[in-house]
Every structure is written in structure tokens, then in C-alpha cells.
Amino acid sequence: MRLHERTMLVQQARAEFGMLCVEFLRGHDLTWGEWTSILGGELASQAKYQIRDERHPDDADKGGDEA
């Protein structure tokens, strides 16, 4: 099986991101629950704008849930 050309790049980035997360968690003396809350909030925020762009590519002022 041939791997997609970006597979290794993504795997390396994931490993690096994991290490950065652990360093951040330890540096701020956070619990795993607190870190999960922070990360989940950031993912939700980013997803909001991604959904908005996908649903209304020609109208950046329109919210993602608007028709």
C-alpha cells in the first residue's frame, strides 16, 4: 500500500503537537480535565468559523446556523 504524500508530515506534526501539549499542561500546572476543557473550547471556536466558511463561502458576515 502506498501512503499519501502528506501522511508522514501529518504524523510528525501530531507527535510534535502531543509533546507541546504535555509541555503546556505541565508549565501551567493544569489537570487533564482543565486541559481538555481548554482544548475543547479552542476546537469548538475554530470549527465555528470553518462551518461558517463552508456554508456561506461568499458571505463572511453570515453565521453558520443562518439560512
Short mmCIF file of all heavy atoms in Angstrom, two decimals:
data_model
loop_
_atom_site.label_atom_id
_atom_site.label_comp_id
_atom_site.label_asym_id
_atom_site.label_seq_id
_atom_site.Cartn_x
_atom_site.Cartn_y
_atom_site.Cartn_z
N MET A 1 0.84 -1.17 0.00
CA MET A 1 0.00 0.00 0.00
C MET A 1 0.89 1.24 0.00
O MET A 1 1.81 1.35 0.80
CB MET A 1 -0.88 -0.01 1.26
CG MET A 1 -1.68 1.25 1.42
SD MET A 1 -2.74 1.27 2.87
CE MET A 1 -1.58 1.74 4.13
N ARG A 2 0.60 2.15 -0.88
CA ARG A 2 1.32 3.42 -0.93
C ARG A 2 0.64 4.42 -0.01
O ARG A 2 -0.58 4.52 0.02
CB ARG A 2 1.33 3.96 -2.36
CG ARG A 2 2.19 3.13 -3.30
CD ARG A 2 2.27 3.73 -4.68
NE ARG A 2 2.71 5.13 -4.60
CZ ARG A 2 2.29 6.08 -5.43
NH1 ARG A 2 1.45 5.80 -6.40
NH2 ARG A 2 2.74 7.31 -5.30
N LEU A 3 1.44 5.18 0.71
CA LEU A 3 0.90 6.21 1.59
C LEU A 3 0.77 7.53 0.83
O LEU A 3 1.55 7.83 -0.07
CB LEU A 3 1.82 6.42 2.78
CG LEU A 3 1.98 5.25 3.74
CD1 LEU A 3 2.98 5.59 4.83
CD2 LEU A 3 0.64 4.88 4.36
N HIS A 4 -0.21 8.28 1.22
CA HIS A 4 -0.38 9.62 0.65
C HIS A 4 0.86 10.44 0.97
O HIS A 4 1.49 10.27 2.02
CB HIS A 4 -1.64 10.28 1.23
CG HIS A 4 -1.99 11.56 0.56
ND1 HIS A 4 -1.43 12.76 0.92
CD2 HIS A 4 -2.85 11.81 -0.46
CE1 HIS A 4 -1.93 13.71 0.16
NE2 HIS A 4 -2.81 13.17 -0.68
N GLU A 5 1.19 11.36 0.12
CA GLU A 5 2.41 12.16 0.27
C GLU A 5 2.43 13.00 1.56
O GLU A 5 3.47 13.37 2.04
CB GLU A 5 2.59 13.08 -0.94
CG GLU A 5 1.47 14.08 -1.10
CD GLU A 5 1.52 14.84 -2.42
OE1 GLU A 5 1.89 14.23 -3.43
OE2 GLU A 5 1.18 16.03 -2.41
N ARG A 6 1.27 13.28 2.12
CA ARG A 6 1.21 14.12 3.33
C ARG A 6 1.11 13.30 4.62
O ARG A 6 1.14 13.86 5.71
CB ARG A 6 0.03 15.08 3.23
CG ARG A 6 0.22 16.07 2.07
CD ARG A 6 -0.82 17.15 2.04
NE ARG A 6 -1.01 17.87 3.27
CZ ARG A 6 -0.25 18.90 3.69
NH1 ARG A 6 0.76 19.31 2.95
NH2 ARG A 6 -0.51 19.52 4.83
N THR A 7 1.02 11.99 4.52
CA THR A 7 0.85 11.15 5.70
C THR A 7 1.98 11.32 6.70
O THR A 7 1.73 11.51 7.90
CB THR A 7 0.72 9.66 5.30
OG1 THR A 7 -0.46 9.52 4.49
CG2 THR A 7 0.60 8.77 6.53
N MET A 8 3.21 11.27 6.28
CA MET A 8 4.34 11.40 7.19
C MET A 8 4.40 12.79 7.82
O MET A 8 4.69 12.94 9.00
CB MET A 8 5.66 11.07 6.48
CG MET A 8 5.80 9.60 6.12
SD MET A 8 5.66 8.49 7.55
CE MET A 8 7.06 8.98 8.50
N LEU A 9 4.10 13.80 7.03
CA LEU A 9 4.06 15.17 7.55
C LEU A 9 3.05 15.28 8.68
O LEU A 9 3.33 15.85 9.73
CB LEU A 9 3.71 16.15 6.43
CG LEU A 9 3.50 17.60 6.84
CD1 LEU A 9 4.84 18.23 7.22
CD2 LEU A 9 2.84 18.36 5.72
N VAL A 10 1.87 14.72 8.48
CA VAL A 10 0.81 14.77 9.49
C VAL A 10 1.21 13.98 10.73
O VAL A 10 1.01 14.43 11.86
CB VAL A 10 -0.52 14.25 8.91
CG1 VAL A 10 -1.57 14.08 9.99
CG2 VAL A 10 -1.03 15.20 7.82
N GLN A 11 1.80 12.81 10.55
CA GLN A 11 2.23 12.01 11.70
C GLN A 11 3.30 12.73 12.52
O GLN A 11 3.26 12.73 13.75
CB GLN A 11 2.74 10.65 11.23
CG GLN A 11 1.64 9.74 10.74
CD GLN A 11 2.17 8.41 10.20
OE1 GLN A 11 3.37 8.23 10.01
NE2 GLN A 11 1.26 7.49 9.97
N GLN A 12 4.23 13.37 11.86
CA GLN A 12 5.28 14.12 12.56
C GLN A 12 4.68 15.32 13.30
O GLN A 12 5.05 15.59 14.44
CB GLN A 12 6.36 14.58 11.57
CG GLN A 12 7.19 13.44 11.05
CD GLN A 12 8.10 13.87 9.90
OE1 GLN A 12 7.94 14.92 9.31
NE2 GLN A 12 9.05 13.02 9.57
N ALA A 13 3.75 16.01 12.66
CA ALA A 13 3.11 17.16 13.29
C ALA A 13 2.30 16.71 14.50
O ALA A 13 2.30 17.40 15.54
CB ALA A 13 2.21 17.89 12.29
N ARG A 14 1.62 15.58 14.40
CA ARG A 14 0.83 15.07 15.52
C ARG A 14 1.72 14.74 16.71
O ARG A 14 1.39 15.06 17.85
CB ARG A 14 0.04 13.83 15.09
CG ARG A 14 -0.83 13.28 16.23
CD ARG A 14 -1.63 12.07 15.79
NE ARG A 14 -2.62 12.50 14.80
CZ ARG A 14 -3.12 11.70 13.87
NH1 ARG A 14 -2.73 10.46 13.78
NH2 ARG A 14 -4.02 12.15 13.03
N ALA A 15 2.86 14.12 16.45
CA ALA A 15 3.79 13.79 17.52
C ALA A 15 4.33 15.06 18.17
O ALA A 15 4.40 15.16 19.41
CB ALA A 15 4.94 12.95 16.98
N GLU A 16 4.69 16.04 17.38
CA GLU A 16 5.20 17.31 17.90
C GLU A 16 4.12 18.04 18.71
O GLU A 16 4.39 18.58 19.79
CB GLU A 16 5.70 18.20 16.77
CG GLU A 16 6.32 19.49 17.23
CD GLU A 16 6.85 20.33 16.07
OE1 GLU A 16 7.10 19.79 14.99
OE2 GLU A 16 7.00 21.54 16.29
N PHE A 17 2.91 18.04 18.20
CA PHE A 17 1.80 18.69 18.90
C PHE A 17 1.56 18.02 20.25
O PHE A 17 1.32 18.69 21.25
CB PHE A 17 0.53 18.65 18.04
CG PHE A 17 -0.64 19.32 18.68
CD1 PHE A 17 -0.69 20.69 18.82
CD2 PHE A 17 -1.72 18.57 19.15
CE1 PHE A 17 -1.77 21.32 19.41
CE2 PHE A 17 -2.80 19.19 19.75
CZ PHE A 17 -2.84 20.56 19.88
N GLY A 18 1.63 16.71 20.29
CA GLY A 18 1.46 15.98 21.54
C GLY A 18 2.48 16.41 22.58
O GLY A 18 2.15 16.62 23.75
N MET A 19 3.72 16.56 22.17
CA MET A 19 4.77 16.99 23.09
C MET A 19 4.54 18.43 23.56
O MET A 19 4.73 18.75 24.73
CB MET A 19 6.15 16.85 22.44
CG MET A 19 6.55 15.41 22.18
SD MET A 19 6.53 14.37 23.65
CE MET A 19 7.74 15.17 24.67
N LEU A 20 4.11 19.29 22.65
CA LEU A 20 3.81 20.67 23.03
C LEU A 20 2.66 20.74 24.03
O LEU A 20 2.68 21.54 24.97
CB LEU A 20 3.46 21.51 21.79
CG LEU A 20 4.60 21.82 20.84
CD1 LEU A 20 4.07 22.45 19.56
CD2 LEU A 20 5.61 22.73 21.51
N CYS A 21 1.67 19.89 23.84
CA CYS A 21 0.53 19.85 24.76
C CYS A 21 0.98 19.46 26.16
O CYS A 21 0.56 20.08 27.15
CB CYS A 21 -0.53 18.87 24.26
SG CYS A 21 -1.42 19.43 22.80
N VAL A 22 1.81 18.43 26.25
CA VAL A 22 2.30 17.99 27.56
C VAL A 22 3.11 19.09 28.22
O VAL A 22 2.96 19.37 29.41
CB VAL A 22 3.11 16.68 27.43
CG1 VAL A 22 3.82 16.35 28.72
CG2 VAL A 22 2.20 15.53 27.01
N GLU A 23 3.97 19.75 27.45
CA GLU A 23 4.78 20.85 28.00
C GLU A 23 3.88 21.99 28.49
O GLU A 23 4.12 22.55 29.57
CB GLU A 23 5.76 21.37 26.95
CG GLU A 23 6.88 20.41 26.64
CD GLU A 23 7.77 20.92 25.51
OE1 GLU A 23 7.82 22.14 25.30
OE2 GLU A 23 8.41 20.08 24.85
N PHE A 24 2.86 22.33 27.71
CA PHE A 24 1.95 23.39 28.10
C PHE A 24 1.21 23.02 29.38
O PHE A 24 1.10 23.82 30.31
CB PHE A 24 0.95 23.66 26.96
CG PHE A 24 0.01 24.79 27.25
CD1 PHE A 24 0.37 26.10 26.98
CD2 PHE A 24 -1.24 24.55 27.79
CE1 PHE A 24 -0.50 27.14 27.24
CE2 PHE A 24 -2.12 25.59 28.06
CZ PHE A 24 -1.74 26.89 27.78
N LEU A 25 0.70 21.80 29.43
CA LEU A 25 -0.05 21.32 30.59
C LEU A 25 0.81 21.40 31.85
O LEU A 25 0.38 21.92 32.88
CB LEU A 25 -0.49 19.88 30.32
CG LEU A 25 -1.42 19.25 31.32
CD1 LEU A 25 -2.44 18.41 30.57
CD2 LEU A 25 -0.65 18.36 32.28
N ARG A 26 2.02 20.93 31.76
CA ARG A 26 2.92 20.95 32.92
C ARG A 26 3.35 22.37 33.27
O ARG A 26 3.44 22.72 34.44
CB ARG A 26 4.15 20.09 32.63
CG ARG A 26 3.83 18.62 32.61
CD ARG A 26 5.05 17.79 32.32
NE ARG A 26 4.72 16.38 32.29
CZ ARG A 26 5.47 15.46 31.71
NH1 ARG A 26 6.61 15.80 31.13
NH2 ARG A 26 5.11 14.19 31.72
N GLY A 27 3.60 23.19 32.27
CA GLY A 27 4.05 24.56 32.50
C GLY A 27 3.01 25.44 33.17
O GLY A 27 3.34 26.42 33.83
N HIS A 28 1.75 25.09 33.00
CA HIS A 28 0.67 25.87 33.60
C HIS A 28 0.02 25.15 34.76
O HIS A 28 -1.00 25.61 35.29
CB HIS A 28 -0.38 26.22 32.53
CG HIS A 28 0.13 27.18 31.51
ND1 HIS A 28 0.15 28.53 31.71
CD2 HIS A 28 0.67 26.98 30.29
CE1 HIS A 28 0.67 29.14 30.65
NE2 HIS A 28 1.00 28.21 29.77
N ASP A 29 0.59 24.03 35.16
CA ASP A 29 0.09 23.25 36.30
C ASP A 29 -1.40 22.94 36.16
O ASP A 29 -2.19 23.13 37.10
CB ASP A 29 0.39 23.98 37.62
CG ASP A 29 0.19 23.08 38.83
OD1 ASP A 29 0.41 21.85 38.70
OD2 ASP A 29 -0.19 23.60 39.89
N LEU A 30 -1.80 22.49 34.98
CA LEU A 30 -3.19 22.17 34.71
C LEU A 30 -3.46 20.68 34.92
O LEU A 30 -2.57 19.85 34.71
CB LEU A 30 -3.55 22.52 33.26
CG LEU A 30 -3.45 23.98 32.86
CD1 LEU A 30 -3.58 24.13 31.35
CD2 LEU A 30 -4.50 24.81 33.57
N THR A 31 -4.68 20.36 35.29
CA THR A 31 -5.09 18.96 35.32
C THR A 31 -5.47 18.54 33.90
O THR A 31 -5.68 19.40 33.03
CB THR A 31 -6.31 18.75 36.24
OG1 THR A 31 -7.44 19.42 35.66
CG2 THR A 31 -6.04 19.28 37.64
N TRP A 32 -5.62 17.24 33.69
CA TRP A 32 -6.03 16.78 32.36
C TRP A 32 -7.43 17.28 32.03
O TRP A 32 -7.73 17.62 30.89
CB TRP A 32 -5.96 15.26 32.26
CG TRP A 32 -4.56 14.80 32.00
CD1 TRP A 32 -3.70 14.26 32.91
CD2 TRP A 32 -3.85 14.88 30.76
NE1 TRP A 32 -2.49 13.99 32.31
CE2 TRP A 32 -2.55 14.35 30.99
CE3 TRP A 32 -4.16 15.34 29.50
CZ2 TRP A 32 -1.58 14.29 29.99
CZ3 TRP A 32 -3.20 15.27 28.50
CH2 TRP A 32 -1.93 14.74 28.75
N GLY A 33 -8.30 17.34 33.04
CA GLY A 33 -9.65 17.85 32.81
C GLY A 33 -9.64 19.32 32.40
O GLY A 33 -10.37 19.73 31.49
N GLU A 34 -8.81 20.11 33.04
CA GLU A 34 -8.70 21.53 32.69
C GLU A 34 -8.13 21.70 31.29
O GLU A 34 -8.62 22.52 30.50
CB GLU A 34 -7.82 22.25 33.71
CG GLU A 34 -8.45 22.35 35.08
CD GLU A 34 -7.49 22.69 36.19
OE1 GLU A 34 -6.25 22.49 36.03
OE2 GLU A 34 -7.95 23.17 37.23
N TRP A 35 -7.13 20.90 30.97
CA TRP A 35 -6.52 20.97 29.64
C TRP A 35 -7.53 20.55 28.57
O TRP A 35 -7.65 21.17 27.52
CB TRP A 35 -5.28 20.09 29.59
CG TRP A 35 -4.74 19.86 28.22
CD1 TRP A 35 -4.55 18.67 27.61
CD2 TRP A 35 -4.31 20.85 27.28
NE1 TRP A 35 -4.04 18.86 26.35
CE2 TRP A 35 -3.89 20.18 26.13
CE3 TRP A 35 -4.27 22.23 27.31
CZ2 TRP A 35 -3.41 20.85 25.00
CZ3 TRP A 35 -3.80 22.91 26.17
CH2 TRP A 35 -3.38 22.22 25.05
N THR A 36 -8.31 19.51 28.87
CA THR A 36 -9.32 19.05 27.92
C THR A 36 -10.37 20.14 27.69
O THR A 36 -10.81 20.35 26.56
CB THR A 36 -9.99 17.77 28.43
OG1 THR A 36 -8.98 16.76 28.61
CG2 THR A 36 -11.03 17.25 27.46
N SER A 37 -10.74 20.84 28.75
CA SER A 37 -11.70 21.94 28.62
C SER A 37 -11.16 23.05 27.73
O SER A 37 -11.86 23.58 26.86
CB SER A 37 -12.03 22.49 30.01
OG SER A 37 -12.87 23.60 29.91
N ILE A 38 -9.89 23.41 27.93
CA ILE A 38 -9.25 24.45 27.10
C ILE A 38 -9.19 24.00 25.65
O ILE A 38 -9.58 24.75 24.73
CB ILE A 38 -7.85 24.77 27.63
CG1 ILE A 38 -7.93 25.46 28.98
CG2 ILE A 38 -7.06 25.61 26.63
CD1 ILE A 38 -6.60 25.55 29.71
N LEU A 39 -8.72 22.81 25.43
CA LEU A 39 -8.56 22.30 24.06
C LEU A 39 -9.92 22.16 23.36
O LEU A 39 -10.07 22.55 22.20
CB LEU A 39 -7.83 20.96 24.08
CG LEU A 39 -7.45 20.35 22.75
CD1 LEU A 39 -6.58 21.31 21.94
CD2 LEU A 39 -6.73 19.03 22.97
N GLY A 40 -10.91 21.65 24.10
CA GLY A 40 -12.25 21.52 23.52
C GLY A 40 -12.84 22.86 23.13
O GLY A 40 -13.47 23.00 22.08
N GLY A 41 -12.64 23.86 23.98
CA GLY A 41 -13.13 25.20 23.67
C GLY A 41 -12.48 25.78 22.42
O GLY A 41 -13.15 26.41 21.59
N GLU A 42 -11.18 25.56 22.29
CA GLU A 42 -10.47 26.06 21.11
C GLU A 42 -10.94 25.35 19.84
O GLU A 42 -11.12 25.98 18.79
CB GLU A 42 -8.97 25.90 21.28
CG GLU A 42 -8.36 26.94 22.17
CD GLU A 42 -8.61 28.36 21.65
OE1 GLU A 42 -8.29 28.65 20.49
OE2 GLU A 42 -9.15 29.17 22.42
N LEU A 43 -11.13 24.04 19.93
CA LEU A 43 -11.60 23.28 18.77
C LEU A 43 -12.99 23.75 18.35
O LEU A 43 -13.26 23.93 17.15
CB LEU A 43 -11.62 21.79 19.07
CG LEU A 43 -10.27 21.12 19.19
CD1 LEU A 43 -10.42 19.69 19.70
CD2 LEU A 43 -9.53 21.15 17.87
N ALA A 44 -13.87 23.97 19.31
CA ALA A 44 -15.22 24.45 19.01
C ALA A 44 -15.17 25.82 18.35
O ALA A 44 -15.91 26.09 17.40
CB ALA A 44 -16.06 24.48 20.28
N SER A 45 -14.32 26.68 18.85
CA SER A 45 -14.19 28.03 18.28
C SER A 45 -13.71 27.96 16.84
O SER A 45 -14.26 28.65 15.96
CB SER A 45 -13.23 28.86 19.12
OG SER A 45 -13.08 30.15 18.58
N GLN A 46 -12.71 27.16 16.58
CA GLN A 46 -12.18 27.04 15.22
C GLN A 46 -13.21 26.39 14.29
O GLN A 46 -13.35 26.79 13.14
CB GLN A 46 -10.88 26.24 15.22
CG GLN A 46 -9.75 26.93 15.93
CD GLN A 46 -9.42 28.28 15.34
OE1 GLN A 46 -9.36 28.45 14.13
NE2 GLN A 46 -9.21 29.26 16.20
N ALA A 47 -13.94 25.40 14.80
CA ALA A 47 -14.96 24.72 13.99
C ALA A 47 -16.07 25.68 13.59
O ALA A 47 -16.61 25.61 12.49
CB ALA A 47 -15.53 23.52 14.75
N LYS A 48 -16.40 26.60 14.49
CA LYS A 48 -17.46 27.58 14.20
C LYS A 48 -17.14 28.36 12.93
O LYS A 48 -17.99 28.52 12.06
CB LYS A 48 -17.59 28.53 15.40
CG LYS A 48 -18.59 29.63 15.20
CD LYS A 48 -18.72 30.47 16.46
CE LYS A 48 -18.08 31.81 16.26
NZ LYS A 48 -18.24 32.71 17.41
N TYR A 49 -15.91 28.80 12.82
CA TYR A 49 -15.53 29.58 11.65
C TYR A 49 -15.38 28.71 10.41
O TYR A 49 -15.67 29.14 9.30
CB TYR A 49 -14.26 30.38 11.94
CG TYR A 49 -14.51 31.42 13.00
CD1 TYR A 49 -14.05 31.25 14.30
CD2 TYR A 49 -15.29 32.54 12.72
CE1 TYR A 49 -14.32 32.20 15.28
CE2 TYR A 49 -15.57 33.49 13.69
CZ TYR A 49 -15.09 33.31 14.97
OH TYR A 49 -15.37 34.24 15.93
N GLN A 50 -14.95 27.47 10.58
CA GLN A 50 -14.85 26.54 9.45
C GLN A 50 -16.24 26.25 8.89
O GLN A 50 -16.45 26.27 7.67
CB GLN A 50 -14.17 25.24 9.89
CG GLN A 50 -13.99 24.24 8.77
CD GLN A 50 -13.03 24.70 7.70
OE1 GLN A 50 -12.06 25.39 8.00
NE2 GLN A 50 -13.28 24.33 6.47
N ILE A 51 -17.20 25.99 9.78
CA ILE A 51 -18.57 25.72 9.34
C ILE A 51 -19.15 26.95 8.64
O ILE A 51 -19.79 26.84 7.59
CB ILE A 51 -19.45 25.31 10.54
CG1 ILE A 51 -19.04 23.90 11.01
CG2 ILE A 51 -20.94 25.35 10.18
CD1 ILE A 51 -19.64 23.50 12.33
N ARG A 52 -18.92 28.11 9.20
CA ARG A 52 -19.41 29.35 8.59
C ARG A 52 -18.87 29.50 7.17
O ARG A 52 -19.60 29.82 6.24
CB ARG A 52 -18.99 30.55 9.44
CG ARG A 52 -19.48 31.88 8.93
CD ARG A 52 -19.02 33.00 9.81
NE ARG A 52 -19.66 32.92 11.12
CZ ARG A 52 -19.43 33.78 12.10
NH1 ARG A 52 -18.58 34.77 11.94
NH2 ARG A 52 -20.05 33.65 13.25
N ASP A 53 -17.58 29.24 7.00
CA ASP A 53 -16.95 29.35 5.67
C ASP A 53 -17.48 28.31 4.71
O ASP A 53 -17.69 28.59 3.53
CB ASP A 53 -15.44 29.23 5.82
CG ASP A 53 -14.72 29.47 4.51
OD1 ASP A 53 -14.97 30.54 3.89
OD2 ASP A 53 -13.91 28.61 4.10
N GLU A 54 -17.71 27.09 5.19
CA GLU A 54 -18.23 26.03 4.33
C GLU A 54 -19.66 26.29 3.88
O GLU A 54 -20.01 26.03 2.74
CB GLU A 54 -18.17 24.68 5.06
CG GLU A 54 -16.76 24.18 5.27
CD GLU A 54 -16.70 22.98 6.20
OE1 GLU A 54 -17.74 22.59 6.78
OE2 GLU A 54 -15.59 22.43 6.36
N ARG A 55 -20.48 26.80 4.79
CA ARG A 55 -21.89 27.01 4.47
C ARG A 55 -22.16 28.31 3.71
O ARG A 55 -23.14 28.40 2.95
CB ARG A 55 -22.72 27.00 5.75
CG ARG A 55 -22.74 25.62 6.40
CD ARG A 55 -23.56 25.62 7.66
NE ARG A 55 -23.58 24.30 8.27
CZ ARG A 55 -24.13 24.04 9.44
NH1 ARG A 55 -24.71 25.02 10.14
NH2 ARG A 55 -24.10 22.83 9.93
N HIS A 56 -21.33 29.31 3.94
CA HIS A 56 -21.54 30.61 3.31
C HIS A 56 -20.21 31.17 2.78
O HIS A 56 -19.71 32.19 3.26
CB HIS A 56 -22.14 31.59 4.32
CG HIS A 56 -23.36 31.08 5.00
ND1 HIS A 56 -24.56 30.89 4.34
CD2 HIS A 56 -23.57 30.68 6.29
CE1 HIS A 56 -25.45 30.42 5.19
NE2 HIS A 56 -24.88 30.27 6.37
N PRO A 57 -19.62 30.51 1.78
CA PRO A 57 -18.31 30.94 1.30
C PRO A 57 -18.29 32.36 0.71
O PRO A 57 -17.25 32.99 0.68
CB PRO A 57 -17.95 29.91 0.24
CG PRO A 57 -19.25 29.30 -0.17
CD PRO A 57 -20.15 29.38 1.03
N ASP A 58 -19.44 32.84 0.29
CA ASP A 58 -19.49 34.16 -0.33
C ASP A 58 -20.02 35.24 0.61
O ASP A 58 -20.22 36.38 0.18
CB ASP A 58 -20.37 34.11 -1.59
CG ASP A 58 -19.81 33.15 -2.62
OD1 ASP A 58 -18.58 33.07 -2.76
OD2 ASP A 58 -20.62 32.46 -3.28
N ASP A 59 -20.25 34.90 1.88
CA ASP A 59 -20.80 35.87 2.83
C ASP A 59 -20.19 35.64 4.22
O ASP A 59 -20.77 34.95 5.06
CB ASP A 59 -22.32 35.76 2.89
CG ASP A 59 -22.95 36.91 3.66
OD1 ASP A 59 -22.22 37.71 4.27
OD2 ASP A 59 -24.19 36.99 3.66
N ALA A 60 -19.04 36.24 4.46
CA ALA A 60 -18.30 36.02 5.71
C ALA A 60 -19.04 36.58 6.92
O ALA A 60 -18.74 36.18 8.05
CB ALA A 60 -16.91 36.67 5.61
N ASP A 61 -20.00 37.46 6.72
CA ASP A 61 -20.74 38.05 7.84
C ASP A 61 -21.91 37.20 8.30
O ASP A 61 -22.49 37.45 9.36
CB ASP A 61 -21.25 39.44 7.47
CG ASP A 61 -20.11 40.42 7.26
OD1 ASP A 61 -19.09 40.30 7.96
OD2 ASP A 61 -20.24 41.29 6.39
N LYS A 62 -22.24 36.18 7.53
CA LYS A 62 -23.40 35.34 7.85
C LYS A 62 -22.95 34.23 8.79
O LYS A 62 -21.95 33.55 8.57
CB LYS A 62 -23.99 34.74 6.57
CG LYS A 62 -25.35 34.09 6.77
CD LYS A 62 -25.91 33.63 5.45
CE LYS A 62 -26.89 34.66 4.94
NZ LYS A 62 -27.67 34.16 3.81
N GLY A 63 -23.71 34.01 9.88
CA GLY A 63 -23.40 32.97 10.85
C GLY A 63 -23.61 31.58 10.27
O GLY A 63 -24.39 31.39 9.32
N GLY A 64 -22.93 30.60 10.83
CA GLY A 64 -23.01 29.24 10.34
C GLY A 64 -24.40 28.63 10.40
O GLY A 64 -24.75 27.79 9.57
N ASP A 65 -25.22 29.05 11.36
CA ASP A 65 -26.57 28.50 11.51
C ASP A 65 -27.62 29.26 10.72
O ASP A 65 -28.79 28.84 10.67
CB ASP A 65 -26.96 28.45 12.99
CG ASP A 65 -26.16 27.42 13.76
OD1 ASP A 65 -25.72 26.43 13.15
OD2 ASP A 65 -25.97 27.61 14.97
N GLU A 66 -27.22 30.36 10.13
CA GLU A 66 -28.19 31.14 9.33
C GLU A 66 -28.45 30.47 8.00
O GLU A 66 -27.56 29.87 7.41
CB GLU A 66 -27.66 32.56 9.09
CG GLU A 66 -27.59 33.41 10.33
CD GLU A 66 -27.13 34.80 10.01
OE1 GLU A 66 -27.73 35.45 9.12
OE2 GLU A 66 -26.14 35.24 10.63
N ALA A 67 -29.67 30.60 7.53
CA ALA A 67 -30.06 30.02 6.23
C ALA A 67 -29.60 30.92 5.10
O ALA A 67 -29.34 32.06 5.25
CB ALA A 67 -31.56 29.83 6.18
#
